[in-house]
Amino acid sequence: MSAIFGDALEAKIDFHGQALVELIAKAWLVVAAVVSFVVGWWFQSLRLTLVAYGASTLILAVVVLPPWPMYNKHPVKWLPVKEKPKNE
Amino acid sequence: MHNLLSRVNNISAFLSSCMMCLMGAVALSSLLYTADPKGTLTIKSASIKENEIRYYHRKQEMGFVGFKIDADLTPLFHWNTKQLFVWLEAEYTGSDGVTNEVAVWDRIVRRKEDAYLKVNGRQQYPIKDMQKTFNGVPAFNFTLKYNLMPHVGLLTYGEAARADGIPYNSTSRHI
């Protein structure tokens, strides 16, 4: 895909960022499911449940999909390039 | 999770699992609503007449019924109720010994505001038997039944009213 869209749509993040995104996404989806169930139950409206869950998912997408700076605070430090032996 | 597409993939996969659990919880929650509303059903008239089925150019006996329903089905509407299918069922044992259950009238209730049924009506579908006659049928039982259709979950059935043992006299052909 990167060949088509270039690096702009790759939106790469570092390893710490990936762990953070995973934690945020899982917790968010579970908590939002519980909350929207309770809200829908309270107001006796299944539509409200679905709208609430859909809206929270859209917010989650904004939070975790773009490569925000907070996900790129620990870039991988590569070793310096070794000098190649000259006699090869 | 390293790039955009893998994040979309990962999150949408977990979203669908959460969605399944959410819908499962909704379906289970409707089991907690155990309303069993009862109304009254009065059979005003019931008669057997010989009528012609024009399409087949054939005459056969048909059962007609006039009834009055007064049933408040609003307790059946909760957050997971999509609509109610309500019907009046005639139950009888035919002259061939087979017990038949036939719908003679029905209505679809889509809104809670329409769920208080006050109906003074006649059958929509005359009762016809395979034997073409109702000779030897001792009595009819009429029941008002409903089928609750949820948005998610299992269909549930119930009985809201009953009028048992409506006899008819085979000589006068009137119940």
Side-chain angles (χ1 to χ4, degrees):
Chain A
M1 292 302 271
S2 65
I4 305 167
F5 296 114
D7 283 346
L9 275 178
E10 274 283 282
K12 280 191 174 154
I13 57 177
D14 65 35
F15 290 121
H16 286 85
Q18 291 174 37
L20 186 59
V21 161
E22 178 131 11
L23 183 71
I24 291 176
K26 292 233 157 111
W28 188 303
L29 287 171
V30 171
V31 170
V34 173
V35 168
S36 45
F37 178 86
V38 170
V39 169
W41 170 288
W42 186 258
F43 290 99
Q44 285 289 298
S45 162
L46 196 63
R47 172 170 304 203
L48 186 62
T49 297
L50 293 174
V51 166
Y53 200 47
S56 88
T57 305
L58 287 179
I59 297 169
L60 174 68
V62 172
V63 170
V64 296
L65 291 186
W68 298 116
M70 62 186 280
Y71 303 132
N72 270 321
K73 273 194 241 170
H74 306 274
V76 178
K77 288 186 182 69
W78 299 97
L79 290 174
V81 179
K82 275 185 186 167
E83 292 288 322
K84 277 184 183 172
K86 287 194 174 168
N87 59 353
E88 198 168 56
Chain B
M1 301 294 260
H2 64 289
N3 68 10
L4 185 67
L5 279 174
S6 72
R7 284 201 289 280
V8 170
N9 184 11
N10 206 316
I11 290 165
S12 61
F14 190 61
L15 173 68
S16 66
S17 304
C18 287
M19 205 67 189
M20 279 292 286
C21 292
L22 185 58
M23 292 299 107
V26 170
L28 285 178
S29 79
S30 48
L31 297 178
L32 295 174
Y33 296 97
T34 52
D36 187 22
K38 296 287 177 205
T40 55
L41 168 66
T42 320
I43 302 298
K44 293 192 302 178
S45 67
S47 57
I48 303 287
K49 287 173 196 154
E50 193 165 58
N51 258 29
E52 187 179 2
I53 301 177
R54 274 189 209 125
Y55 184 77
Y56 295 113
H57 301 291
R58 191 179 74 198
K59 280 193 164 187
Q60 77 171 62
E61 284 186 353
M62 295 185 192
F64 299 91
V65 60
F67 56 86
K68 209 172 163 182
I69 292 169
D70 188 338
D72 185 7
L73 300 181
T74 45
L76 291 174
F77 274 82
H78 53 77
W79 75 324
N80 195 17
T81 304
K82 184 182 178 192
Q83 61 183 18
L84 294 177
F85 183 74
V86 187
W87 75 100
L88 183 66
E89 190 176 278
E91 184 201 300
Y92 67 96
T93 303
S95 49
D96 53 349
V98 178
T99 300
N100 297 291
E101 291 170 345
V102 201
V104 295
W105 172 91
D106 62 51
R107 174 174 287 180
I108 295 169
V109 182
R110 293 182 197 277
R111 300 185 307 154
K112 193 173 188 175
E113 295 82 57
D114 302 331
Y116 196 164
L117 293 181
K118 280 178 183 283
V119 182
N120 199 347
R122 292 188 64 77
Q123 87 292 328
Q124 292 167 327
Y125 321 110
I127 310 169
K128 289 173 246 174
D129 193 82
M130 290 291 279
Q131 305 294 310
K132 302 186 181 62
T133 175
F134 291 99
N135 277 334
V137 176
F140 284 73
N141 296 334
F142 288 97
T143 44
L144 181 68
K145 296 195 173 179
Y146 59 80
N147 172 211
L148 193 160
M149 304 182 195
H151 289 291
V152 239
L154 297 171
L155 296 171
T156 46
Y157 295 84
E159 189 184 294
R162 202 172 175 91
D164 268 348
I166 309 293
Y168 85 94
N169 185 330
S170 59
T171 50
S172 76
R173 287 289 185 241
H174 277 280
I175 296 179

